[in-house]
Structure formats: structure tokens, C-alpha cells
Amino acid sequence: MARILITSAIPYINGIKHLGNLVGSQLPADLFARYMRARGHEVMFICATDEHGTPAELAAAKAGKPVDEYCAEMHAVQAELARGFRLSFDHFGRSSSPQNHALTQHFARRLGENGLIDVVTEKQIYSVADGRFLPDRYVEGTCPNCGYERARGDQCENCTKQLEPTDLIEPRSAISGSTELEMRETRHLYLRQSRLRDRLDAWIDSKTDWPVLTTSIAKKWLHDGDGLQDRGITRDLDWGVPAQFPGAPWEGMEGKVFYVWFDAPIEYIAATWEWADAHGLSEKDWHRWWRTDKGADDVRYVQFMGKDNVPFHTLSFPATIMGSGEPWKLVDYIKSFNYLNYDGGQFSTSQGRGVFMDQALSILPADYWRWWLLSHAPENSDSEFTWENFQASVNKDLADVLGNFVSRVTKFCRSRFGEEVPAGGSFGPEEEALIERLRALLGAYEGFMENMEIRKAAGELRAMWVAGNEYLQAAAPWAVFKTDPERAAAIIRLSLNLIRLYAVVSAPFVPDTSERMLAAMRSDDDSWPEDPARALAALPPGHGFTVPDMLFRKITDEEREEWQQRFAGRRD
RNA sequence: GGGCCUGUAGCUCAAUUGGUUAGAGCAGAGCGCUCAUAACGCUUUGGUUGGGGGUUCGAGUCCCUCCGGGCCUACCA
């Protein structure tokens, strides 16, 4: 039994996430976690909300609430949606937790003591009306290059020219519109990650099995221009982990907090600590996942994230860990995803474009979304959600191939033999062929799941469902029954067992349906079918079952059109 | 501007890393079955692999170039 630590990129707090966010980290991480648990491994699956930063403060202000209250509410909302999608986190933490405050300050102190933190004095734009320093992109003005009036301080969206906020003509605050801006001096902590460049470079080089998407981004940052740049890890904000604290090896950081990208990855560790606290466990219980000197040396650590998160997970966070000089667990494998687009454009939180997690669940059960999203995960390139494709895939794969198989087998049995596994008859070459086919498909499925090749895994799973229909068609128990009921009994006995096997192997993709299938078979045996032949004998003759309600209803053309309309515009 | 990814059947994607005749699913067509959610099974149409050039005995795969799509470019997270 292996021990596997799984983290999903932590979703930002300022609103409900869309399906693109979901499929880019949390959902595939859940698939992997569920599969590894099903195979008997010890899994720690961690996620959290990322609660600090300017956007959180602004979102709270817009909602007219104190930021801590706002974050607590939004955390509860996101946690509820995570439950709705059956994301099986062992803990869903908060980056604002006391544990993360403590760990973030701990890492910062260690880095400071190891000479990896500089205090840098710099000038930044301060908005008097807003009472805060403005990140570059929160300064708007007219682009000096093309004259676009809503250019941002980091880049003009119109002509794509990169800008400094001071380049803008008639700059104003993007928050209030105030033009009362001034340059003020401020001091910040910088992580001297450039000093760790060679170590990071060698470490990345050693990760030959990582996706190109992951390593190429890391390499770019390591070698582009002057190489890896030092990075400011504090901000002039109120909401966050205070950068000045007792024992800090620097002074003068009062009123400043750590940059979210410094504290967010540390929350992976802190959330595991939160998990231990929540379960009345001790330090050693979470250290054994994270400290290689305290039991984590045999842990396999896998991270899931969208491609936009890659630099922070390949460079900044490892730099934090390496620079601490302490034996914290580094990531072993990073599974990164491209983006899911929505009907010809991008999903957009800020523009409210696409389908959001709460809306999705209000339309259809989680399994519909899980199946489509996972079987179309944007692994190799950006992929696209269209309602036509969603309708077609879900109806065909779930309703016709899987759902209908369960229906035809259980109903046939009920009408001919009653609601119990029929006895009699024996297996022949057709059964042998089916078992061999399943053995091959299952092996391929396991290989793809192990390697996190999600689409391919979905394809193999679907092929297992198809194999059942093929078998049934060839064996034709409805015809055989007329002349040889015993033989028909054997066919149906195998088919009923097939339903239980499907429930087990399909559980990582469609957990709710899997439960319903097991319940219908009145079985609590969800052990993995290491040997298909034996697994298909789990339900003995005479074992009672229930004909389940329709597992998946079909999406009608009318519904599809209505949803297409409803989600065409902006949210709210 | 620079870097990276990408373009394969109407749609969504494969192709063991340069090796026979480019494969699946869906959609379309035909046939079969009647247990089942008009579901299932079998057969089948469909491709100058974005265009052009090159290397090679051999190119979807490598090189050059052009065209299209996307991401990143370090103060959104």
C-alpha cells in the first residue's frame, strides 16, 4: 500500500467557480484520489480556499461586508458546492487559518535566517481616495501607444503593449476612478529565489516524466532574460498574514502582509495541519505527510492545477521549501491542465460567462457534469464545452450505454426469474471471451488512471460498458430463454454481476450512480476487481436485488436550447 | 516583440515518439435484434493530417516558411 498526497490548486475566494476552474484542478484531483483509495492506497486529499489579496478585499467591499466575514461566507458556499460535486477532500481548508498564519511566518522566518530575504525600498502608486496602494493592473488610463482609454497599468488590452502604470495618460484608480494618485515609497520583502536557480533547475531537470506544459513553463522562467527573478512576497494590505511578527528577522513591515502567492501554497501544508486539528490528531499525524524526516519520505505527492498556476508550483513554492533548509516534502508529479472554453469563447468569472458550479448543479446531478468534464478534460490543448456536445455525450455514454444496460438486465431478470440472481446453467466461450475482454480493458484503464491520462481512462471505462452490451446482444438471453432457461439464467447471473463490477470501476467518475448501482444490487462489496472472473461471481445465485429507477435521464433538445439561451449572456 | 503549445473525418479526440493501408466515439447511411431509457449489436460512407517547400528508403511525426487558434511574459490570482 502506497501513501499518496494529493493537492488541488486552491480556488480563489471571490466568487463561485466555473466549470473551467473545476475541471482544471479539483475534479481531476478528486478522480485520482478516489481511484487511489479504491485501489487500497492511503490517500490525503487536500484543498482549500485562497482568501488573501486585493480582489478579496474588493469583493468584500462590494458586498458591503468585512473581509473576514465575506471570506467565511464564501468558503462555506464553495465547500457546499464541493460537496455537491462530490469532491472527496480529506480537508477543505482556508488560507486565512491560524495554522497557515503560523506556517507562513515560520517559512518566512526560516528564509530570512538563511539569507534568502531582502528588504527592498520601492515606489508604488498610492490612491489617496481608496486609501491603498494599487497593483499595476488596478491603475487605468489612456494607452500612450494606441490611445485606448481603458488600458491597464500592466498592459494595454487593446494593443497588447506592456506598460508601466506611470506610462498611462490620465491615470486613475480602477477601483474608484479617482485620479488622486501619487507615488509613495514603500518597503517590501523579496524572496531571493535567484540564489536557488541552479538547485531549482537541476530539480526540474530530474523531472523527466512531467508534462511538457509543466516543465517548459518552469524552464522559461528559469532561463528567460536574466534568469529567475527575485520576487516581492509582501503587499500593502490589511487582509492576510502579517509580515511583521515576533521573531521576524527584519523590521519595519508593520501594516503589510505576505503576498497571496507566498502563503497560498503553504496552505497545502497548513490545511493538512487543520485536518489533524479538526480530527483531534497530533502534529505527528500531519507531519508524516509533509516532513520527510518524520515519515513522509515514502509519500508520493501529486499536484493538480491549471497551466496558469505552474510557475508558482514549479518555482516559487519549491524555492520556499528548499530555502527553508527543512525537510519538507517537495512535489513528485505535477499534472497541469489547459483551459476549457465555453461555446466559442472563454469561461470568465469577471464577465460571468459560461456555466458556474452552482448553476450546473441546479440543472443536473453532479455525475452528468463529472462524466462530461473528465472525459473531455483539456489535457493536451484547450478544449471546448458546447451544449450540443454535452447533450450528445451524456445521453449516449451515460443514458444509453451504461444506464440502459443496467435497466435491460435488471428488468429482464425480474420478468423472467424474479428479483434475485438466478441459479443454474453454466458459462461457455462467450463468457470466457467477455472476461478476457474485460481483463484487457481493466488493465488499460488502471494504467491510464495511474498515469492520470484522464480522457483515455474514460475511454477504457466506456469500452467496458460497451462490452456488456455487446455480450448481451451476442448471448441474447431473451431468445435463449425460450428453449434453454438455464442457459439464460447463467447469462443474466453474469450480467447482474457485471452491474456490480461497473459500479466499482466507475465510482471515481460517477460516484453517486455507483452507489445507486451497488444499492440496487444490495451489495456492499466495493472491492476492486483484481480478478474479473472472480469479481463476476461476487453475487451468488439467490442473492436478491432491486430494479433501480432510471440511472440517467436524457437531456432533451428543448432543455438544451433553453440552457443555451439561459447561459448565453452574463451571469446575474 | 519574445517564448511555449496547437491545427488530423461534419464534431470531440487517438496514432506505441520516423515505420506497412492515419484510427476511435458521436453524427450520417444500411442491416439485425426486441430484454431495455426508440435503447442495443453488426456493417458502412467520410481525411491531399491548415498551405507550401525540404531532409529521409520512408514524414501526421523532424527542419524551413506562410496562415489560423491558444497560453505565458514575473504587481490579478
Side-chain angles (χ1 to χ4, degrees):
Chain A
M1 185 174 86
R3 298 173 60 220
I4 303 171
L5 174 63
I6 302 168
T7 62
S8 159
I10 64 177
Y12 199 65
I13 194 70
N14 69 340
I16 291 166
K17 302 294 105 176
H18 53 63
L19 297 182
N21 298 128
L22 182 64
V23 75
S25 53
Q26 290 166 289
L27 195 52
D30 180 68
L31 181 80
F32 190 60
R34 285 177 179 275
Y35 174 73
M36 285 302 175
R37 288 192 198 106
R39 297 309 307 274
H41 301 305
E42 187 182 0
V43 168
M44 177 59 66
F45 179 24
I46 290 294
C47 193
T49 40
D50 179 13
E51 306 194 357
H52 297 138
T54 308
E57 293 194 342
L58 296 179
K62 190 178 172 189
K65 290 174 180 168
V67 64
D68 56 344
E69 197 177 302
Y70 172 82
C71 286
E73 286 176 16
M74 286 309 300
H75 175 82
V77 168
Q78 294 210 22
E80 185 57 33
L81 288 168
R83 276 191 289 276
F85 274 95
R86 306 296 183 252
L87 303 176
S88 59
F89 307 133
D90 289 292
H91 190 73
F92 186 58
R94 302 182 58 187
S95 70
S96 61
S97 68
Q99 291 88 342
N100 195 37
H101 277 240
L103 271 178
T104 297
Q105 291 177 343
H106 169 81
F107 274 105
R109 184 171 58 79
R110 291 288 305 181
L111 291 164
E113 288 166 356
N114 291 334
L116 290 168
I117 289 193
D118 282 342
V119 178
V120 174
T121 301
E122 56 192 9
K123 288 189 173 176
Q124 260 194 338
I125 291 193
Y126 184 85
S127 168
V128 177
D130 296 305
R132 64 162 68 233
F133 283 93
L134 297 178
D136 288 358
R137 71 167 49 194
Y138 282 100
V139 182
E140 280 184 353
T142 302
C143 174
N145 189 48
C146 71
Y148 181 63
E149 290 178 1
R150 294 190 58 188
R152 290 191 321 218
D154 57 340
Q155 184 173 35
C156 174
E157 283 177 325
N158 190 47
C159 68
T160 74
K161 184 178 173 58
Q162 282 183 57
L163 303 169
E164 293 294 322
T166 47
D167 296 337
L168 294 171
I169 300 163
E170 294 179 28
R172 61 185 182 275
S173 162
I175 298 165
S176 62
S178 168
T179 56
E180 200 181 344
L181 306 179
E182 51 191 57
M183 294 301 283
R184 286 195 185 177
E185 265 195 1
T186 181
R187 279 150 48 88
H188 283 297
L189 300 181
Y190 268 66
L191 176 61
R192 299 173 70 184
Q193 51 186 13
S194 60
R195 286 189 52 196
L196 295 164
R197 186 178 79 163
D198 290 346
R199 266 183 83 181
L200 289 165
D201 204 15
W203 179 67
I204 296 291
D205 277 337
S206 74
K207 304 301 181 186
T208 52
D209 60 332
W210 286 12
V212 179
L213 183 65
T214 304
T215 50
S216 65
I217 291 172
K219 283 289 178 183
K220 174 69 172 18
W221 281 50
L222 281 167
H223 299 296
D224 190 43
D226 299 330
L228 188 61
Q229 300 296 298
D230 293 339
R231 201 171 170 110
I233 57 164
T234 52
R235 294 289 183 274
D236 287 289
L237 296 174
D238 300 322
W239 176 237
V241 179
Q244 193 64 57
F245 53 89
W250 49 74
E251 291 177 351
M253 286 295 135
E254 287 79 10
K256 299 175 196 296
V257 299
F258 287 103
Y259 178 42
V260 283
W261 267 117
F262 185 71
D263 77 61
I266 295 172
E267 168 63 8
Y268 294 144
I269 305 174
T272 315
W273 182 0
E274 293 171 41
W275 163 84
D277 286 355
H279 291 81
L281 300 171
S282 65
E283 186 176 74
K284 73 175 172 53
D285 292 304
W286 65 271
H287 270 181
R288 67 189 279 276
W289 289 102
W290 284 102
R291 290 285 296 236
T292 57
D293 59 334
K294 294 176 181 171
D297 48 317
D298 65 342
V299 167
R300 179 181 177 210
Y301 177 20
V302 181
Q303 295 176 340
F304 289 79
M305 71 196 67
K307 57 185 167 186
D308 52 332
N309 277 308
V310 167
F312 305 101
H313 289 80
T314 52
L315 302 170
S316 311
F317 186 41
T320 298
I321 287 179
M322 289 177 183
S324 75
E326 296 175 336
W328 298 95
K329 180 74 190 163
L330 280 168
V331 66
D332 293 306
Y333 189 82
I334 293 180
K335 175 72 178 179
S336 54
F337 290 85
N338 287 285
Y339 292 144
L340 178 69
N341 290 318
Y342 178 75
D343 211 7
Q346 292 190 346
F347 274 92
S348 167
T349 302
S350 58
Q351 292 173 37
R353 185 166 193 283
V355 183
F356 290 74
M357 285 172 73
D358 56 336
Q359 299 171 325
L361 288 179
S362 75
I363 293 175
L364 288 168
D367 282 354
Y368 289 71
W369 298 105
R370 290 178 62 103
W371 173 253
W372 191 89
L373 290 168
L374 289 167
S375 62
H376 293 77
E379 291 176 288
N380 298 316
S381 60
D382 292 354
S383 64
E384 178 159 322
F385 176 92
T386 64
W387 287 102
E388 287 85 356
N389 189 300
F390 178 68
Q391 178 195 26
S393 298
V394 163
N395 286 356
K396 192 69 190 175
D397 299 345
L398 296 181
D400 294 349
V401 178
L402 176 60
N404 183 54
F405 177 82
V406 172
S407 182
R408 64 194 299 204
V409 169
T410 53
K411 286 181 180 172
F412 179 81
C413 185
R414 179 174 61 184
S415 71
R416 300 299 196 279
F417 301 104
E419 286 184 88
E420 63 177 47
V421 177
S426 57
F427 293 166
E430 281 169 326
E431 285 69 31
E432 289 305 314
L434 171 66
I435 287 168
E436 280 316 302
R437 173 87 177 129
L438 285 173
R439 204 188 298 282
L441 291 169
L442 186 62
Y445 179 62
E446 291 166 352
F448 289 137
M449 289 295 267
E450 175 72 31
N451 292 328
M452 291 163 268
E453 294 190 65
I454 296 172
R455 282 177 186 245
K456 291 182 179 176
E460 299 300 329
L461 178 59
R462 194 193 121 97
M464 284 189 257
W465 301 339
V466 168
N469 282 305
E470 289 172 355
Y471 164 72
L472 213 53
Q473 187 67 31
W478 50 88
V480 171
F481 182 80
K482 294 167 189 164
T483 56
D484 186 356
E486 293 258 306
R487 168 67 187 147
I491 295 167
I492 289 305
R493 188 163 65 250
L494 186 70
S495 299
L496 287 166
N497 271 284
L498 204 43
I499 293 173
R500 193 200 65 86
L501 185 148
Y502 287 162
V504 176
V505 298
S506 307
F509 281 90
V510 287
D512 286 351
T513 306
S514 170
E515 271 188 28
R516 290 174 61 199
M517 290 164 74
L518 275 181
M521 292 302 109
R522 292 190 204 154
S523 174
D524 52 11
D525 178 4
D526 61 354
S527 60
W528 195 259
E530 306 289 347
D531 174 15
R534 213 171 53 211
L536 290 172
L539 305 178
H543 180 93
F545 70 92
T546 312
V547 174
D549 293 336
M550 188 182 283
L551 293 181
F552 299 99
R553 68 176 187 82
K554 293 208 199 192
I555 297 167
T556 65
D557 291 348
E558 292 70 36
E559 286 177 313
R560 188 202 67 215
E561 282 162 24
E562 193 226 320
W563 295 336
Q564 237 161 354
Q565 293 292 321
R566 198 196 307 176
F567 296 107
R570 295 177 54 102
R571 180 188 177 91
D572 300 333

